């Protein structure tokens, strides 16, 4: 049995849902506000009840779908017994509506409501608390803004919302990680090294901007930390693979997978098992890429178009934990197809994610930035270690940070240099940016809001500085963020 309000409260677009969203709703912008409620809910994980948070939209479902042309106009209510605040990840609202504690507005106290009203960006996005422990307790949900192109394509839309989960209190998990207990007994999956072993390296004087492929080959001899905590479960739409979401599809049907990595500390590879086309990342269209395996780090999103074979069988869509055997997923099943149970452990460990940036290097934006002279170029150093568990931006943690400054309207390039042995998904609020450099190579890459910077690598992004305000720039690995890996992109008029 499935309880819609607890275990299945996600916006998986079945035929019934598609029927309600197939056409724009004329005049929606003039209607009253939508309602979102932050609340406690109960889900079942591996046969055990778990109390988690959530963001319920219309009908009690987790998350929100907006129609083409509809404004982001809603009232958010906090029914928790603690303060909270919600960030609209991937959207570019006025700064006052961005959803960061005290920048500029405080968290919502229990029982408080707050109104939001702005023009949204179309695409696959999500929303989450900007309090790390709350996000780790599943205070997050899909935010899908459909476009007119989505209506014309007429594909069945299926949302896959990924999370890592622990039965322990999130603060206890953070304490274990930051004190070293969370990764003290982790096996080879927590780091990658060549048969030659690992080595320590003084990288203080290294110019990453001048690195070439032979340098990267030499880097492969160093141990890279992939994961720093073994969670109890890995969820797709609140469920584990031993009792997955089953989405009914047509034989030979056309499906759009909207995949959101809402996990706190886990990167995934998506394995469709059949050929697909990756058509968008972080809600922004790219030149289509054919394949059956694509990856996404924390905070990132993928849109994959599938043309299903005309067979009466189930098609598993799997999310494979980076460097490990754990996996989760959902099932696409035509009428009459048998759904067999699958193990939540694969036969082999999945590879590390995009160490050489070859995955990111395949993406090309459909709508790149216009050509302009860059008037503001800055280098940002990412560093830290597992022991002591400290992660920094430009050698400083939050509270001691030095803001990155820009003038509203100017073209800015930021080069992230990762001098640590863990990857960092870097997320910038209030802006969409284009990836324009991978190590020493210039590219016309994807438009994004969250970019993964592998160990000992560099990624350059470009953007036009937006509203004059204080915008957050941080690692979306929640234990890293909670220990201070955050700064601000301060835009002046």
């Amino acid at each position: 049995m499935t309880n819609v309000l607890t275990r299945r409260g996600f916006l998986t677009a079945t035929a019934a849902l598609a029927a309600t969203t197939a056409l724009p709703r004329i005049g929606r912008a003039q209607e009253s506000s939508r309602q979102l409620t932050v609340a406690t809910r109960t889900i079942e994980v591996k046969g055990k009840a778990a109390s988690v948070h959530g963001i319920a939209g219309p009908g009690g479902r987790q998350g929100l779908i907006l129609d083409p042309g509809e404004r982001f106009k809603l009232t958010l209510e906090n029914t928790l017994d603690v303060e909270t605040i919600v960030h609209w990840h991937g959207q570019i609202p006025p700064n006052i509506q961005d959803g960061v504690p005290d920048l500029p507005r405080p968290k919502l106290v229990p029982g408080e409501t707050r109104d939001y009203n702005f023009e949204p960006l179309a695409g696959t996005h999500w929303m989450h608390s900007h309090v790390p422990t709350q996000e780790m307790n599943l205070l997050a949900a899909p935010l899908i803004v459909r476009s007119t192109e989505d209506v014309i394509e007429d594909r069945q839309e299926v949302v896959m919302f990924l999370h890592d989960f622990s039965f322990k209190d999130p603060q206890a998990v953070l304490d274990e990680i930051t004190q070293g207990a969370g990764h003290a007994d982790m096996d080879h999956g927590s780091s990658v090294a060549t048969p030659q072993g690992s080595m320590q390296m003084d990288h203080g004087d290294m110019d990453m901007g001048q690195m070439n492929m032979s340098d990267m080959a030499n880097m492969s001899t160093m141990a890279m930390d992939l994961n720093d905590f073994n969670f109890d479960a890995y969820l797709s739409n609140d469920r584990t693979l031993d009792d997955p979401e089953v989405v009914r599809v047509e034989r030979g049907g056309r499906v759009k997978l909207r995949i959101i990595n809402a996990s706190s500390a886990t990167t995934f590879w998506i394995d469709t098992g059949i050929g697909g086309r990756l058509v968008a990342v972080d809600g922004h269209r790219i030149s289509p890429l054919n394949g059956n395996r694509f990856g996404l780090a924390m905070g990132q999103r993928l849109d994959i178009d599938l043309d299903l074979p005309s067979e009466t069988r189930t098609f598993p869509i799997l999310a494979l934990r980076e460097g490990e055997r754990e996996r989760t997923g959902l099932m696409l099943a035509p009428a009459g197809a048998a759904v067999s149970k699958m193990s939540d452990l694969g036969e082999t460990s999945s590879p590390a994610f995009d160490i050489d940036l070859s995955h990111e290097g395949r993406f090309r934006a459909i709508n790149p930035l216009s050509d302009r002279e860059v008037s503001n170029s800055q280098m940002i150093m990412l560093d830290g270690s597992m022991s002591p568990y400290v992660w920094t931006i430009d050698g400083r943690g939050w509270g001691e940070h030095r803001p990155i400054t820009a003038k509203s309207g100017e073209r800015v390039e930021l080069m992230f240099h990762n001098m640590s042995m863990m990857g960092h998904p870097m997320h910038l609020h209030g802006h969409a940016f284009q990836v324009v450099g991978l190590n020493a190579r210039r590219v016309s890459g994807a438009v994004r809001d969250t970019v993964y910077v592998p160990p000992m690598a560099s990624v350059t992004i470009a953007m036009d500085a937006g509203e004059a305000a204080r915008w957050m720039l941080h690692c979306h690995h929640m234990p890293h963020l909670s220990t201070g890996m955050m700064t601000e992109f301060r835009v002046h008029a």
Side-chain angles (χ1 to χ4, degrees):
M1 281 295 278
T2 296
N3 186 319
V4 172
L5 295 180
T6 59
R7 302 182 59 201
R8 278 231 183 154
F10 279 85
L11 301 169
T12 305
T14 60
L17 177 59
T20 67
T21 58
L23 296 173
R25 298 176 188 171
I26 306 302
R28 166 70 74 179
Q30 283 73 46
E31 294 181 11
S32 59
S33 295
R34 302 277 196 119
Q35 179 78 26
L36 286 181
T37 303
V38 178
T40 298
R41 59 199 178 99
T42 300
I43 63 173
E44 184 179 308
V45 179
K46 295 186 175 181
K48 295 172 60 176
S51 179
V52 298
H53 297 323
I55 308 175
R61 297 186 181 93
Q62 292 294 296
L64 184 66
I65 292 178
L66 298 182
D67 295 321
E70 182 179 354
R71 284 188 68 81
F72 187 93
K73 184 179 181 183
L74 59 85
T75 298
L76 178 69
E77 180 183 9
N78 177 18
T79 67
L80 302 178
D81 59 3
V82 295
E83 295 181 337
T84 192
I85 197 164
V86 174
H87 168 59
W88 319 109
H89 190 123
Q91 294 299 321
I92 307 179
N95 180 259
I96 196 171
Q97 300 183 49
D98 187 46
V100 176
D102 300 317
L103 285 174
R105 301 187 71 183
K107 290 179 284 187
L108 285 78
V109 300
E112 184 180 357
T113 62
R114 189 169 294 174
D115 293 332
Y116 298 85
N117 191 342
F118 59 86
E119 192 70 29
L121 292 180
T124 301
H125 306 293
W126 61 301
M127 45 191 166
H128 60 84
S129 171
H130 220 277
V131 180
T133 53
Q134 293 180 359
E135 183 181 330
M136 293 172 69
N137 200 33
L138 279 59
L139 206 166
L143 171 55
I144 309 302
V145 182
R146 303 187 73 231
S147 67
T148 54
E149 289 79 9
D150 293 329
V151 175
I152 293 170
E153 285 183 5
D154 191 28
R155 287 183 176 271
Q156 181 177 345
E157 299 184 17
V158 177
V159 172
M160 187 174 183
F161 197 72
L162 302 172
H163 224 298
D164 39 27
F165 171 82
S166 175
F167 286 105
K168 296 179 181 178
D169 178 79
Q171 187 57 55
V173 172
L174 283 178
D175 291 344
E176 284 193 28
I177 294 173
T178 57
Q179 295 167 16
H183 46 82
D185 61 349
M186 294 190 73
D187 60 19
H188 70 280
S190 61
S191 65
V192 171
T194 64
Q196 290 81 8
S198 62
M199 66 184 215
Q200 298 297 317
M201 181 173 182
D202 181 2
H203 48 250
D205 296 326
M206 179 178 294
D207 183 354
M208 293 293 294
Q210 301 301 314
M211 285 185 63
N212 55 36
M213 290 309 294
S214 99
D215 294 323
M216 291 301 295
N218 291 334
M219 294 300 170
S220 69
T221 63
M222 297 188 297
M224 290 172 283
D225 297 304
L226 304 184
N227 299 294
D228 49 16
F229 190 79
N230 286 322
F231 288 86
D232 292 321
Y234 300 87
L235 308 180
S236 172
N237 296 357
D238 279 352
R239 304 180 74 160
T240 52
L241 196 56
D242 60 349
D243 182 26
E245 181 87 48
V246 178
V247 182
R248 293 300 175 186
V249 295
E250 297 179 359
R251 290 178 63 250
R254 291 157 37 90
V255 172
K256 179 182 291 294
L257 288 175
R258 296 184 182 269
I259 305 170
I260 302 165
N261 188 352
S263 64
S264 56
T266 305
T267 294
F268 290 101
W269 289 101
I270 303 301
D271 188 345
T272 67
I274 57 176
R277 291 181 303 280
L278 179 64
V279 296
V281 296
D282 292 0
H284 299 271
R285 295 172 61 211
I286 61 169
S287 297
L289 285 173
N290 294 325
N292 60 6
R293 181 172 288 196
F294 303 99
L296 71 170
M298 295 76 84
Q300 294 184 326
R301 289 88 70 206
L302 303 176
D303 287 9
I304 302 175
D305 286 349
L306 299 178
D307 296 326
L308 301 178
S310 296
E311 304 171 23
T312 305
R313 66 180 179 92
T314 297
F315 302 96
I317 308 298
L318 301 178
L320 316 175
R321 183 190 180 199
E322 176 192 24
E324 300 283 358
R325 294 173 57 202
E326 287 92 350
R327 60 188 185 180
T328 187
L330 54 77
M331 305 291 179
L332 305 180
V339 180
S340 301
K341 285 190 175 183
M342 294 186 69
S343 171
D344 59 5
L345 290 177
E347 293 183 359
T348 60
S349 297
S350 66
F353 176 63
D354 209 18
I355 292 174
D356 60 358
L357 288 168
S358 59
H359 187 264
E360 187 71 38
R362 299 172 63 197
F363 304 153
R364 295 292 179 270
I366 291 289
N367 298 303
L369 291 178
S370 60
D371 289 332
R372 284 185 58 193
E373 181 180 354
V374 177
S375 58
N376 185 342
S377 297
Q378 300 186 50
M379 181 185 301
I380 300 171
M381 307 302 292
L382 311 177
D383 211 345
S385 66
M386 299 288 277
S387 182
Y389 197 88
V390 177
W391 303 93
T392 61
I393 295 177
D394 289 334
R396 298 167 180 260
W398 180 253
E400 299 178 349
H401 64 285
R402 285 190 299 236
I404 298 156
T405 61
K407 184 177 180 181
S408 182
E410 72 174 340
R411 176 63 54 85
V412 180
E413 283 197 359
L414 303 179
M415 180 182 287
F416 296 112
H417 284 265
N418 185 359
M419 308 307 292
S420 76
M421 299 314 295
M422 283 199 83
H424 301 291
M426 300 304 297
H427 173 53
L428 176 61
H429 289 217
H431 296 76
F433 53 74
Q434 185 175 9
V435 176
V436 296
L438 301 173
N439 292 322
R441 180 167 65 96
R442 298 290 293 188
V443 298
S444 180
V447 174
R448 285 189 169 279
D449 55 64
T450 308
V451 67
Y452 180 76
V453 188
M456 304 305 294
S458 68
V459 175
T460 303
I461 64 172
M463 80 214 74
D464 295 325
E467 178 189 347
R470 299 168 64 190
W471 298 101
M472 289 297 94
L473 172 61
H474 61 87
C475 178
H476 223 282
H477 184 295
M478 288 298 101
H480 294 181
L481 172 61
S482 69
T483 54
M485 199 170 192
M486 180 166 67
T487 187
E488 56 182 293
F489 183 56
R490 187 174 293 181
V491 181
H492 302 282

